Amino acid sequence: MRSYRLFCLWLALASGSALAAGSGQTGALLFGLFWVVLAAAVMGTLASKLGIPAVVGQVVAGILIGPSVLELVRPETFFLTLAEIGAIFLLFMVGLETRLGELLRVGREALLVAVLGIALPLALGFGFGLWQGQTNVSALFVGTALVATSVGITAKVLQELGVLGERFAQVILGAAVIDDILGLTLLAVVSGLGNGEELSAAQVGLTLGLSVGFVAAVLALGIPLVRRAQPRLQRLSLSRAFNVALVVGLGLAALSTVAGLAPIIGAFLAGMVLAEVKDEVAFESKVHAIEAFLAPVFFVVVGLQLDLGTLTQPTVVVAGLALTLLAVVGKLLGGLLGARTLGPREATLVGLGMVPRGEVGLIVASLGLGAGLIGETVYAEVLLMVLLTTIVAPLVLRAMWRRERLVQQAP
């Protein structure tokens, strides 16, 4: 009887969605948002009860309510924008739990993990593309898709596990920031080559210098400024302190796009700056409240964008599985070699943390398809790689961490 009532409720709401879609855009968007939030809550809770990271359940929720299965929600501009804001608040919150001093202690390992985690997947992806008979530019773009790392997904898993203060987690976060800087520079170069542009070393150096300079300037100037302003911030009410935090977070997220970086990097840096005074200025709870609402939307929309219909051809599945294996091996080796000073177990955790491609991989694949740099078949292969690394890597990371804790607690 209970199942029958739930089915009737689902049928009524689905009918309401259809009526809203026909009657006006606002109604359709509200129903769409309703389905996104409901699916995220239900599947996230179910995943947690099964011992699976909630983000995996939320990505699966997006697949279920999206165009591939139930067709309740489509990845329209509104949801894509809301998801990006969700990612911004997620990384802002992660930044608030990360202090610069902690990252600097793992700076060498983070740099090595990032560089190796770019070089190895790029080489493997490029070789795979050439083996398939693709052009040099198309093969290079496949390699670029393998370079991408979704720091949002891994950061949420680390947050759920409560290990953001662990050394291996700091290496992952530091490497992810460096990965984003180098990866986006590489994407700009490859896109330029695909458009027939002649890119000079000076142009590439300028792009890289601007990105690195932005990160350095934010941390070098922002932290002393916020420490100096601490007495004034402490006198503010909770609402006003939260408004200040909001302005800093969104402002740096916007400025990071001017520097050629993803807005999530600016949000992460803003969180790191404000982390220096969060113990004295109570605004974290309000930021967490917004993040708790918007971050699940981000993960559901990742699932919405995955079109399972493109993965029906056996040749695509086989090639996609091979590409997934290369994607995992490249990042895993990067972690093992770059973070070997942490020991084999924690170095493996670092490598696994860099595996999920998530929304970053989707963006790279979409850009390649839209620019004509890769065809529909290659796009579907990359899509399968993104789907598998996004869902499987967090599961393995969580299982590995639990095993590591048991080893540490053993007498």
Side-chain angles (χ1 to χ4, degrees), residues 219-235:
L219 295 177
L221 299 176
I223 290 177
L225 284 174
V226 79
R227 283 175 177 167
R228 185 175 297 179
Q230 179 180 325
R232 294 183 180 180
L233 292 173
Q234 285 181 264
R235 291 195 293 269

Side-chain angles (χ1 to χ4, degrees), residues 44 48 88 146 225 233 293 342-343:
S48 297
I88 287 171
L146 262 62
L225 284 174
L233 292 173
F293 167 60
L342 303 184

Side-chain angles (χ1 to χ4, degrees), residues 144-290:
T144 304
L146 262 62
V147 163
T149 292
S150 174
V151 63
I153 289 175
T154 297
K156 187 61 178 179
V157 175
L158 295 174
Q159 188 184 55
E160 285 180 0
L161 294 174
V163 297
L164 285 172
E166 296 287 335
R167 187 173 174 84
F168 82 90
Q170 296 298 321
V171 172
I172 292 173
L173 293 175
V177 173
I178 301 169
D179 186 286
D180 189 82
I181 294 171
L182 299 178
L184 289 174
T185 302
L186 178 62
L187 179 60
V189 171
V190 175
S191 298
L193 291 173
N195 294 330
E197 298 177 14
E198 293 185 5
L199 297 176
S200 64
Q203 288 175 296
V204 176
L206 179 62
T207 302
L208 182 60
L210 185 62
S211 301
V212 174
F214 174 77
V215 174
V218 168
L219 295 177
L221 299 176
I223 290 177
L225 284 174
V226 79
R227 283 175 177 167
R228 185 175 297 179
Q230 179 180 325
R232 294 183 180 180
L233 292 173
Q234 285 181 264
R235 291 195 293 269
L236 295 177
S237 64
L238 174 60
S239 296
R240 290 184 177 180
F242 168 69
N243 288 338
V244 171
L246 203 61
V247 168
V248 172
L250 293 176
L252 285 178
L255 282 175
S256 66
T257 62
V258 178
L261 291 171
I264 55 176
I265 297 301
F268 176 72
L269 294 174
M272 284 183 62
V273 168
L274 292 172
E276 301 295 325
V277 297
K278 70 169 185 176
D279 294 335
E280 293 77 24
V281 185
F283 54 79
E284 190 175 3
S285 59
K286 284 204 168 188
V287 175
H288 179 67
I290 296 180

Side-chain angles (χ1 to χ4, degrees), residues 2 36 46 49 72 84 166 173 194 233-234 282 287 296 396:
R2 185 179 179 183
V36 167
L46 178 61
K49 287 186 176 180
L72 294 173
E84 188 163 358
E166 296 287 335
L173 293 175
L233 292 173
Q234 285 181 264
V287 175
V396 179

Side-chain angles (χ1 to χ4, degrees), residues 6-24 27-32 34-35 38 70-73:
L6 289 173
F7 173 75
C8 290
L9 176 61
W10 174 84
L11 187 62
L13 290 169
S15 302
S17 298
L19 290 171
S23 61
L29 290 177
L30 286 174
F31 262 104
F34 164 79
W35 284 118
L38 177 63
L70 298 176
E71 297 187 85
L72 294 173
V73 185

Side-chain angles (χ1 to χ4, degrees), residues 40 100 108 116 163 218 249 257 290 318 325 357 365 369-370:
L100 177 61
R108 178 178 175 276
L116 291 172
V163 297
V218 168
T257 62
I290 296 180
V318 172
L325 179 61
R357 267 51 176 194
L369 182 65

